[in-house]
Amino acid sequence: MKEIHYCYLLQAGVYVKIGYTSDLLQRRDDIQTCCPYPVKYICLFQYATSRAAREMENFLHNKLKKFNSHGEWFHADKVISRMRREGKNIVRHIDLDEEQRAHILSI
């Protein structure tokens, strides 16, 4: 079976973490272990390679850097607002073939 890789936005209270993984459940559980807030995925981008997922993570970090709180954590209200407004445009700015096109879950 082919491994699937994800770039994710995961909300924890007033923060959103942007990262990538190939195991969504394990990654969520790892973050939940050290986080005082309940965590939930609010947006997923699905890829065939870890390289593509990392590239999307880097792209989102750069695109949303003015909303950065610390490390890979961003202010949730600002990020969610921007993703709702520009989510489809963000995907269009990346050169992806149809198979790699992002699958965005509703926020």
Side-chain angles (χ1 to χ4, degrees), residues 17-61:
K17 181 182 184 326
I18 299 172
Y20 73 95
T21 188
S22 59
D23 188 335
L24 290 171
L25 296 177
Q26 184 64 53
R27 187 64 181 138
R28 185 201 59 207
D29 291 348
D30 289 346
I31 293 169
Q32 185 63 77
T33 298
C34 59
C35 185
Y37 304 104
V39 299
K40 66 177 180 177
Y41 288 108
I42 59 171
C43 185
L44 296 173
F45 300 88
Q46 181 177 318
Y47 299 95
T49 67
S50 63
R51 179 179 176 207
R54 279 193 317 271
E55 287 174 358
M56 176 57 118
E57 177 196 32
N58 290 334
F59 174 82
L60 290 174
H61 279 207

